[in-house]
Each structure stands twice: as C-alpha cells, then as structure tokens.
Amino acid sequence: MDLKKTIGTLKRELDAMTAIQTFIAYAFLLVFLIAPLVLMVGQAFVYQGGASFRWFTDLLSSPEYVSFTSRGGRLFEVRRGVMYLWGHDYGILLNSLIVAFFVTVFCSIIGVVAAMLMGRYRFPGKSLFRVLLLIPLLATPFVNAYIVGKLFNPRGGLINYLLVDLLHVLPWRLDIDGLVGVILAQTLSYYPIIFLNVLASLNSIDPSVEEMAENLGARGLRLFRTVTFPLFLPGLAAGAVIVFIFSLEDLGAPIGFTGARANPLSRKLVSYQVYSSFAEALTGSFSPKIAALAVIILFIAVAGFLIIRRYVNLRTYAMLSKGGRWSPRLRTPSVKTQVAIILSLIFLVTLASMPQIGTVILATSNWAISGTLPTKATGQYLGTLVSDPDVTRAIVNSLLYSGAAVVITVLVGSSIAYVVARRDIPGRALLDILATIPVAVPGIALAVGYFLLFSSKMFRGSILDPLLDPALLMILAYSIRRLPFTTRAVSAGLAQVDKSLEESSMNLGANRPTTFFKIVLPLIIGHILGGAILSFVYSMSEVSTSVTLGALREDRVPITFFISQIVYGVAAVGSVSIGAALCVLLMAVQITAMAISNFILKQKVAFLGV
Amino acid sequence: MVKVELKGVTKRFGDVVAAGDVTLQIEDGEFFTFLGPSGCGKTTTMRMIAGLEYPDEGGIFFDGEDVTNLPSFRRNTGMVFQNYALWPHMKVFENVAYGLRVRKVEQAELKKRVDEALELVHLDGLGGRFPSQLSGGQQQRVALARVMVINPSVLLLDEPLSNLDAKLRVEMREEIKEIQRELGITTIYVTHDQEEAMAVSDRVAIQNHGVIRQVGTPSEIYSFPREVFIASFIGRGAILEGVAGVSGGVPRVDLGGFTVEGVDSASAVGDGDRVACVMRPESFSIGAPGEPSNRLDGVVEWSSFIGPYREVKLNVGGTTLLVDVPPERETPVGGSLTVYIPVRRTIVLPWVEVK
C-alpha cells in the first residue's frame, strides 16, 4: 500500500518536464562534481596498489606539513630600524589553517563593526560609504596582493614612506610579508562578505524587538549582547565560514606576494603547493600526496560548510512580527561620535580599497618601476589589451569560457531551483545541497579531480582530455563553481512567486510546461538574468581552475592565468602593469554588470552565503 | 454542470488528518459550502476536488467518472483562490483570456467571451489594466471572471471574500450567489465565516479535524445541530451541561438549579446521560408562546443595548443564560425577569467537551 502510494506520487510528480530537469541536473553534477572528487579521494587512499592511509600519515607526520615548533620566520622582530611581520612557518597544512583562522577573525571584527555603523547610525555621507565599502569586492586577482606587498616594502614602500619618513609616527619601518602579508591581503578582500551578511541580518531584525528590550531596561552593550548579537549571529556564521573556505583555497595572495617580495614563506600554503604540483603534472605523473593534500582541505571546507549550514538553518529566526512600522532602527549620534564614525570609516575604506586604487595607478603609470610614487602617466599598458595578440587572446578566451559557462549554469541552475522549490520528488534535499556545495569545494581540489579523471585512460584523447585541450573542462569547471549563484538567485525569484499563481494556471487547463513558460518564466526572468550576470562576472575572475587547468595549453589560457604569470614574474620586469591593466578590465566588467543588475533588472546583487 | 461525489476521501500530512474519510455528494447546480474553523481541512478537501492535491485513500467522481488521479488541468474546474492568484505580469484581459488561449479558442470568439466575462462581473472597460492597478474588490472580480470564462463544470471558491472589507464582503457574496443562480453552475465554497455560509449555501458541511460532522441546509444546521461542537461553532448562546431524564422520547434536563424540556435532535440521548442543552438567545420570548414551552424565572445580571434587541445575561437558579429581549423593554440589573423558550427550540445533545 505504502509502496503503491509512493509510486503513485512519483508518477504524478515526475511528469516529462520534471523528469528531464532532474535527470540533467543529476547527470551534470554526477559527472562534473562528484565523480572527479570521488576519484581524487580514492587515489589519495591508494598506496602501491592497496588501500592505505599512507599518504595522510606521511603528510601529518612530516614537519614540512605539520610542525608544532616554528620552522623559521619573523614576527614583531625589530632589526636595524625595520619591524618584521612575516609570521612563523608551522608546516604547510597548519599554516593554511592558521592563516584562514586569522583572516576569518579579522574579517569578522571589521565586518561586524562596519555593519553596526552602517546599520544602526545616521551620519553624513552614509550612502557614499555604502558604495565605497564594497570596493574590495572588485576582483583584482594576484595584483591586489602584489600591491599590498609593494606598499609595505621597507625599501621604498609608500606606507613606510608616509608613516616613517614623512609623518614620523612610527619608530621603524614595517615589513609585512610572508604569511602575515597573505592574511592582510585576504582580510582586505574578504571582509565585505561578512559585512554584507551581517548587514542583511541586522536589517531583517524587527526594530520593535530591540525597542522592547530597551523598554524593559536593557541598553548599550547589554542590548547588543542579549538581543542584537544573537539575532545576527547566523548571518555572521554564514559569512565567516565562507571567508574561512575562501582563505583556504586562495591562490591570489600567495602568488601575488611571491611576485612582490619573493619571500618563500608566503608560498608555504596548501593551495600554493597543490598549484605548483600542476607543473609536474604536465609531464604525466601526479603525486597522490598532492591529491591527499587537496582531500584534506576539501574535507575541512565541506564539513565546515555543512555544519554551519545546518546551524544557520536551525537558527534562522522567523520574524514573528505582525504588521506595524518597519523602518530600520537608526540613531543620530552626537556630532563628536559622528565625526569618529566617519573618520574610522574613511580609514577602513582607504586601507581596504588600496589594492583597487593601486591597480588602477599601476595600470596607468610607471609605478611598477618608479619606486615609491609613480612619476609618469601612460596609456601604453591599457593599450596592450587590444594591441598585444597574447593579451587579446586571453581576453577573448575568458569571454568565451565565461559566456559558455553561464549558458550551462543557467539551464542547470534554474532547473534545480525549480525542481527543489516546487516538486515533491525523492532526492530533492540532496539536489539542493549538491547545487550549493560548490561554494565550499576548493577550486584547486576540483582542478585536481578534473585532471585525474579526464586525463585518465577512460577519457584520453576525448574532447574532455585536458592534456589535449583544457578549454571545455574550464567551461565546465566555471559552470560548476558558479552554479550556486544562479541557483540561489532563481530560488529567491521563485520564493516570490506564490505557488497559487501556478496552481491557478493548471486549474485553468495549462499543463506544467505551459505553466512554466507562460507564468513562471516571465515572473523570474529578472532573477535568472541577475544570477547569470553574477555567474559571468565571477567566471571571468575565476582563479583556481584557470591557473591550473589553463596552464596545460598556451593558446587556451584565460585572463587570470595570464595575470598570474605576469605577477609571478615569469614575464619581464615592469610587465606587472599589463596584469594590472587586465585587472582594470575585470573591474570594468564587474562594475558594468552590477550597474545592469541594480538599475535595469532592479535586482540587489545576490551575495555569497550558506 | 456536474454532480461531484467524494467517497471515503482521506488525506494526511504527517500526523495531521486534513481529510478523514470524507464521503458526500454534491448535486448538479448546487451551492455547497464547507464550513469549519481554520485548519479543519476544508481547503485541502477543495484542493483535492480541484486536483491540486491527491487523496491518500478514497475516490473523487464527477458525474460518476473517476477523476481521483486526474491532474488539475484535465478536470475543467474553475477555482478562485483566497489570494486571487492573479498573474501580475499580465493585464486583466490576458488574465481572463488565459484559459481560452490554453484551449486554443480562436481570436474573435476569445475576445467576445472575455468581454462577456468581464461584463458579468461588472469590470467592462478595465481589461487594459494590470492587476496591481485594481482595488481588492476588482481583483476579486477578475479572479471570478477568469474562471467563469472557461465555463467550468464546477466552480470552486476558496475563502474568496476573506481579503475584502466587511461591507464589500456582503456585496460580493450576493453577487456571487446571483451569478451562480443565473448560470446554475455547481459551486463549492469554502469559508470559516458562518454567516457567509448561511447566506449563500443550499447546503453546508461542517468540518472539524478533517472529518465532516454534519451536512444539511443552513436552517437545519442552525436549528438542529447534531453535536455540541456545531452548536458552539454556529450561532450564539449558552451551552449548558446537565443530566437527562428521558421519558416518552422527551428529555427533561436537570441543569442544577432548574429543569427544562427539550428535543433530542440527534436521537442520541438516554436516561441519566450527561447532556448539553442549547438555547439560542433569540428563541426566548417575554410572554408565553402558544406552544409547549419552558418558563424560566431569573435575575438580570448584565444588560446591553445592541440596537435590534437588548442582550441580557439572566441568572436562573445559579446558571447564566444569554437572552435577547425586545429593545424597548427596560431590564435594570438586579431586577427579576421571566422568559419562555419553546420546547422544540431547546436542543438536547450528548455532552462532549469542545476543545
């Protein structure tokens, strides 16, 4: 009876359209997400033909990867008028975790403070700050870290020049490099993720909840601790776990710092080690040890993501309010406080947008070779975007890959969002998780998995073989990695379309496909385009698979690979400006996309969360 | 127009029974209402008739044809949703034309029928507007026109008036009834508002916890509720607990301080049973009526002038009754008052605690 009922339900729910959508979604995720990762995990557990933990015990027992005493480095060490801030080497694996931890803590502090200021106070220039605080979201891969390294160079770094030589506020020059440099560069790039998540949570708190607490006598810190903080904690947790994962898998900072300062400490990170081993992979063999390393960070990232996701779902308080006024709770503080708020925000914005400002200066002047300050403006680097055939080819490649990836992402992502939101089929929850999990899958882990699977005997010589032509694999990798953007955007759209709008269509005689195309699609097309634009932008600036798989064939390299080579120093001195010019192009694409989203589609840019 | 039959229809959501073994027959052209408190399963029952939910057990038949597993778009029912479910991206004309376009009705015919439907609901000339440019009452009319245009075999109305203000609600329900009578369409109506149900329905089914408790004409249900739940859900007045003494089919109920004679409308009361005694405030009179009646002498506890009548709380032998007296009658608090209630208006039911 129960079985009969289940089959009956399945038959009704699984009409032709749902069946096709579900099949495509599962097939795509299975082949291009699950299979490569499973194969990679499998290889990491094989030693000399048998199942073994050998690679993992090797890693964990080798001081090169895990060491509980410092293997070198300098921290708060003053020598000959220079304060060295490099950090200590505790082995590659621990280094990655330590860096990710500090980045998460610093981003959380900055993000929460900025969100509280923006979400609770009224002061002049606020709407300007709202925009300025998001500047770090503009992607300037590799170049941002290069610029941080350049600014904090004890020999001629602009910051040292200002603080020591000009203003005499510091007794010694700062040398920020190595792991501390990576932490600084990542913090500046990632704090907006937490800022946006917390701000969204703050804005969804019904003001009367806080007013009630005040009415009962709670004020100031007590109000914050007992009511406000617990209510935005889920938003903070969601943002924090994303920052932690992004930091773990980031390649931009280690490569960028290496280019700027050549301190080997900034390379002692898991992401960098996996990346550099791709060079060996070109010769055919890929060490299972590297697969094991990728498996470890994959496991940490995915586990952290799933745990936080569960926690956030449990703790997302449905606001119980009924009616009444709902304008954000804004206070106008005293003039003195307002000045303090504005000054601290100016400080934050200036510091955080240094990489973006620096990128523009680098691209339009001789700063790369002139020393502390640029001395001459020039358009020659921006000119190379159209004149240098190698650069132009990278741009065209990136546009093609991202465009193709968006088509795939939109088809699969909308299907998943629709099936998950509307159809009661078995495996629905799994589909939902699979469509979100790419946020947590480190790009380098995916790259390793792709390489292992598609260069294996099964695919050798096929169009998917990366050693033959990595273009198609990069497109697929982009579409998997950006799938959560589109899926979330479309889900948000569907959440706004009441189910009864579809039911009334079916009640009037339209079958499901007709209902989908005539009712649902027109109502969510804005969200689909919004998700598509976001996916496109983040595909253009994708780093991890671009610099690994992209390296496999010279005429197939995308923009980010090209930048990484320039910044890393493979190309001639001074050519870092060409990398900066490419970053300016990326920023222009991103600003255009945001403008289209905001003003034409009227969509708030959906941002990252759990 | 069709006859709708439900046979043993059961639907569960987890542990909650939304419809429990619902069996009933709705006649061709009848205006039939499911009435019950919120969460009683009335909407789910209607959605199963529309094909938007499917029963776990039992069957649904239109004119004897089994439609239990037929998807909604093959049933030709016309459902008006509680929130109207107008498509915001289509103008009124396109909203109404939708069902006809799906049925591939040719252009000239389509235009004629849409115009007729809009005329039927007094919205002629508003076809070029978007739903968001209409008032709540107008949106309601569009929703009605949108289903009427396809000549549905059954009209389904799910709390269609709950989003309107009180005055418009009365106006619209009269209009709906008018249209239904004119077209003779089988109509199923869902509401939690007893007055609305009484005003429009040929027959009413009272549903509670998924189960149909009583089916009857509005006056049957009002005058002869079959159980305490129905008596308390519909109409005003005190429901008093007592002990029955049955002799010759007429129960006498001992209510503590006094006794009354009543009718056993559910034929379920035995000698010595705990019973509930239902006396509607408007059934009382000041002078003795010309039929067998109960005489009750009491003291006025509280009195309030409502307009058409005066509502009095009368203490009779330690028990408080709610009694309507003519508005011109002065009833000072503390004064004594004698009232009569006919035996046939004194309903005796088996006692059940109403949750």
Side-chain angles (χ1 to χ4, degrees):
Chain A
M1 183 62 221
D2 255 350
L3 184 68
K4 209 174 129 196
K5 211 174 98 186
T6 313
I7 293 171
T9 313
L10 195 61
K11 250 161 94 182
R12 272 194 306 266
E13 293 289 314
L14 210 64
D15 49 85
M17 186 170 127
T18 312
I20 292 170
Q21 286 179 326
T22 314
F23 176 76
I24 290 177
Y26 267 116
F28 181 70
L29 290 166
L30 193 70
V31 179
F32 298 110
L33 177 65
I34 300 172
L37 295 179
V38 167
L39 183 75
M40 177 182 79
V41 173
Q43 298 231 343
F45 283 100
V46 173
Y47 180 71
Q48 293 185 347
S52 156
F53 284 103
R54 175 64 189 262
W55 299 113
F56 293 95
T57 48
D58 259 16
L59 281 177
L60 296 174
S61 60
S62 145
E64 197 194 342
Y65 288 94
V66 178
S67 162
F68 293 103
T69 51
S70 171
R71 291 161 46 82
R74 294 172 180 182
L75 191 61
F76 300 118
E77 210 179 291
V78 182
R79 254 190 239 174
R80 270 175 272 147
V82 178
M83 148 97 65
Y84 289 93
L85 292 165
W86 292 0
H88 285 281
D89 177 12
Y90 289 101
I92 287 159
L93 195 54
L94 286 188
N95 288 348
S96 273
L97 294 176
I98 292 167
V99 166
F101 174 78
F102 278 107
V103 170
T104 309
V105 169
F106 293 147
C107 285
S108 299
I109 295 169
I110 299 173
V112 168
V113 170
M116 282 300 288
L117 296 180
M118 296 302 289
R120 286 293 180 267
Y121 295 100
R122 231 182 250 121
F123 49 87
K126 190 171 160 179
S127 43
L128 181 65
F129 282 115
R130 207 191 306 273
V131 178
L132 295 181
L133 278 168
L134 299 183
I135 287 178
L137 285 180
L138 296 173
T140 52
F142 309 106
V143 177
N144 57 347
Y146 174 89
I147 287 168
V148 172
K150 188 173 165 65
L151 291 172
F152 286 96
N153 192 323
R155 284 178 300 278
L158 180 59
I159 302 276
N160 282 317
Y161 173 74
L162 284 177
L163 296 182
V164 183
D165 301 328
L166 207 63
L167 302 171
H168 304 293
V169 288
L170 278 184
W172 6 253
R173 290 156 194 271
L174 293 174
D175 182 8
I176 296 184
D177 198 347
L179 298 175
V180 175
V182 171
I183 290 174
L184 178 62
Q186 290 182 347
T187 301
L188 294 183
S189 314
Y190 297 149
Y191 86 83
I193 296 173
I194 291 186
F195 166 66
L196 286 175
N197 269 295
V198 173
L199 189 62
S201 297
L202 275 180
N203 285 340
S204 72
I205 297 175
D206 180 348
S208 59
V209 172
E210 287 182 334
E211 278 158 9
M212 189 64 232
E214 275 184 344
N215 182 252
L216 292 172
R219 288 177 53 223
L221 209 56
R222 186 189 189 91
L223 173 68
F224 179 80
R225 183 169 56 81
T226 55
V227 178
T228 317
F229 182 71
L231 287 176
F232 75 64
L233 190 56
L236 174 59
V241 75
I242 296 291
V243 168
F244 190 87
I245 293 168
F246 278 19
S247 168
L248 265 190
E249 65 154 337
D250 179 51
L251 277 174
I255 293 178
F257 254 95
T258 305
R261 309 290 301 281
N263 182 335
L265 194 52
S266 50
R267 275 175 273 174
K268 301 222 162 154
L269 290 165
V270 172
S271 53
Y272 188 88
Q273 297 302 313
V274 177
Y275 158 77
S276 63
S277 61
F278 256 85
E280 300 158 31
L282 272 174
T283 58
S285 74
F286 200 94
S287 165
K289 196 168 176 178
I290 295 302
L293 207 51
V295 166
I296 291 174
I297 66 163
L298 173 70
F299 176 78
I300 293 171
V302 170
F305 179 80
L306 291 178
I307 290 167
I308 294 286
R309 185 178 198 259
R310 202 179 152 71
Y311 160 81
V312 169
N313 283 344
L314 286 178
R315 286 293 194 92
T316 302
Y317 306 100
M319 286 296 161
L320 301 166
S321 321
K322 293 261 181 335
R325 154 189 99 86
W326 189 308
S327 56
R329 224 174 93 96
L330 289 175
R331 238 177 323 157
T332 312
S334 67
V335 176
K336 233 163 79 186
T337 318
Q338 288 190 32
V339 171
I341 290 175
I342 293 171
L343 285 180
S344 48
L345 284 176
I346 287 176
F347 173 74
L348 174 61
V349 165
T350 315
L351 189 68
S353 45
M354 278 180 333
Q356 281 70 23
I357 298 168
T359 301
V360 175
I361 295 174
L362 205 53
T364 54
S365 73
N366 64 347
W367 195 31
I369 43 176
S370 68
T372 304
L373 283 169
T375 53
K376 198 172 88 220
T378 170
Q380 78 177 92
Y381 303 117
L382 288 172
T384 54
L385 296 186
V386 286
S387 64
D388 184 325
D390 287 343
V391 178
T392 313
R393 194 179 53 208
I395 294 172
V396 172
N397 281 346
S398 271
L399 288 170
L400 285 177
Y401 301 162
S402 303
V406 164
V407 173
I408 299 173
T409 302
V410 162
L411 288 177
V412 178
S414 321
S415 294
I416 291 175
Y418 186 70
V419 169
V420 167
R422 291 294 198 262
R423 312 305 296 151
D424 185 17
I425 54 156
R428 196 175 67 138
L430 179 67
L431 203 55
D432 190 23
I433 291 180
L434 286 179
T436 338
I437 209 90
V439 167
V441 174
I444 37 169
L446 196 67
V448 172
Y450 272 33
F451 184 81
L452 291 177
L453 178 62
F454 296 109
S455 66
S456 69
K457 266 192 216 112
M458 204 195 330
F459 289 96
R460 188 159 301 156
S462 77
I463 48 164
L464 287 169
D465 185 350
L467 293 169
L468 215 59
D469 186 348
L472 188 55
L473 272 196
M474 267 187 283
I475 291 171
L476 290 162
Y478 288 2
S479 58
I480 280 281
R481 297 201 70 199
R482 304 313 180 215
L483 187 64
F485 293 105
T486 307
T487 312
R488 285 171 65 90
V490 177
S491 296
L494 282 170
Q496 283 170 26
V497 177
D498 195 286
K499 216 177 161 182
S500 65
L501 294 181
E502 288 167 67
E503 288 175 347
S504 57
S505 163
M506 284 187 276
N507 178 254
L508 289 171
N511 58 18
R512 197 168 282 282
T514 308
T515 302
F516 182 81
F517 287 108
K518 284 191 152 183
I519 306 294
V520 183
L521 201 57
L523 290 173
I524 60 168
I525 190 76
H527 285 89
I528 292 181
L529 291 177
I533 286 176
L534 207 61
S535 300
F536 180 81
V537 165
Y538 283 97
S539 294
M540 288 289 286
S541 56
E542 202 272 355
V543 167
S544 303
T545 56
S546 304
V547 300
T548 47
L549 296 172
L552 297 175
R553 200 171 132 179
E554 205 184 342
D555 61 336
R556 293 289 191 253
V557 301
I559 291 179
T560 43
F561 175 83
F562 205 86
I563 301 173
S564 75
Q565 292 299 292
I566 292 170
V567 174
Y568 193 68
V570 172
V573 178
S575 67
V576 66
S577 295
I578 298 174
L582 281 166
C583 286
V584 168
L585 175 75
L586 286 178
M587 288 196 281
V589 169
Q590 205 168 352
I591 290 170
T592 313
M594 280 181 175
I596 293 175
S597 274
N598 277 325
F599 300 116
I600 301 180
L601 301 173
K602 308 270 180 224
Q603 304 282 315
K604 283 258 178 70
V605 175
F607 203 66
L608 302 156
V610 173
Chain B
M1 312 303 130
V2 301
K3 184 170 90 177
V4 177
E5 275 172 285
L6 306 183
K7 288 183 186 163
V9 170
T10 298
K11 175 81 180 175
R12 295 181 203 88
F13 293 111
D15 289 340
V16 180
V17 178
D21 196 16
V22 174
T23 298
L24 43 82
Q25 192 164 326
I26 298 159
E27 301 302 330
D28 184 1
E30 188 175 23
F31 200 121
F32 189 92
T33 299
F34 287 95
L35 174 64
S38 62
C40 74
K42 53 194 191 299
T43 294
T44 304
T45 308
M46 169 174 281
R47 287 169 60 82
M48 287 191 284
I49 297 172
L52 298 171
E53 306 277 357
Y54 298 94
D56 296 333
E57 287 157 39
I60 298 170
F61 302 85
F62 287 1
D63 272 346
E65 187 200 342
D66 186 351
V67 298
T68 315
N69 282 309
L70 214 57
S72 190
F73 53 86
R74 299 235 177 82
R75 292 199 191 188
N76 200 43
T77 60
M79 176 152 169
V80 174
F81 289 75
Q82 185 170 6
N83 61 358
Y84 315 144
L86 299 181
W87 300 303
H89 60 300
M90 294 183 188
K91 290 182 174 170
V92 167
F93 185 93
E94 282 308 312
N95 262 282
V96 178
Y98 188 84
L100 298 178
R101 291 208 193 282
V102 170
R103 285 169 175 72
K104 307 224 177 341
V105 172
E106 53 103 12
Q107 194 59 33
E109 163 87 1
L110 177 139
K111 183 161 180 349
K112 188 173 135 261
R113 281 172 67 179
V114 172
D115 286 343
E116 274 170 12
L118 287 174
E119 205 174 315
L120 182 74
V121 297
H122 311 300
L123 281 182
D124 1 0
L126 294 186
R129 298 222 188 148
F130 279 102
S132 55
Q133 298 168 308
L134 302 180
S135 69
Q138 288 170 325
Q139 291 180 5
Q140 163 74 74
R141 286 158 203 264
V142 176
L144 191 60
R146 189 173 67 176
V147 298
M148 294 311 291
V149 79
I150 63 165
N151 296 327
S153 26
V154 192
L155 178 60
L156 304 172
L157 304 163
D158 181 11
E159 304 243 11
L161 308 178
S162 61
N163 288 332
L164 303 179
D165 64 53
K167 190 155 169 263
L168 201 53
R169 203 145 56 206
V170 173
E171 226 175 275
M172 276 308 294
R173 84 182 182 211
E174 280 163 10
E175 230 170 277
I176 288 174
K177 179 71 190 168
E178 185 79 26
I179 289 170
Q180 188 267 341
R181 200 176 289 150
E182 208 172 295
L183 304 177
I185 181 172
T186 311
T187 301
I188 301 174
Y189 194 96
V190 159
T191 182
H192 65 271
D193 181 328
Q194 46 146 319
E195 187 190 311
E196 207 172 285
M198 299 283 164
V200 295
S201 316
D202 295 325
R203 280 194 304 152
V204 177
I206 311 280
Q207 199 170 4
N208 195 27
H209 299 305
V211 180
I212 302 293
R213 311 305 318 198
Q214 185 172 358
V215 181
T217 64
S219 87
E220 271 168 17
I221 286 185
Y222 186 81
S223 307
F224 303 107
R226 290 240 312 269
E227 32 178 275
V228 179
F229 163 74
I230 295 165
S232 68
F233 185 67
I234 291 182
R236 299 177 302 139
I239 295 171
L240 305 174
E241 186 186 354
V243 178
V246 182
S247 59
V250 181
R252 284 190 65 80
V253 182
D254 183 353
L255 292 169
F258 61 104
T259 42
V260 292
E261 279 184 21
V263 291
D264 175 12
S265 72
S267 308
V269 174
D271 198 25
D273 284 357
R274 266 177 96 198
V275 293
C277 189
V278 182
M279 290 177 280
R280 301 294 188 199
E282 68 276 11
S283 303
F284 291 96
S285 60
I286 298 291
E291 58 176 309
S293 298
N294 297 300
R295 176 192 157 125
L296 304 172
D297 300 303
V299 176
V300 177
E301 271 183 353
W302 178 84
S303 159
S304 131
F305 178 77
I306 303 291
Y309 55 87
R310 193 180 286 275
E311 202 172 69
V312 172
K313 281 187 180 164
L314 191 65
N315 186 315
V316 182
T319 305
T320 303
L321 300 178
L322 198 62
V323 174
D324 292 350
V325 301
E328 63 280 4
R329 172 75 184 237
E330 292 294 334
T331 48
V333 172
S336 60
L337 181 68
T338 297
V339 292
Y340 297 85
I341 183 165
V343 170
R344 63 181 178 87
R345 295 270 174 234
T346 309
I347 313 297
V348 180
L349 299 167
W351 177 261
V352 179
E353 197 73 47
V354 175
K355 285 183 266 304

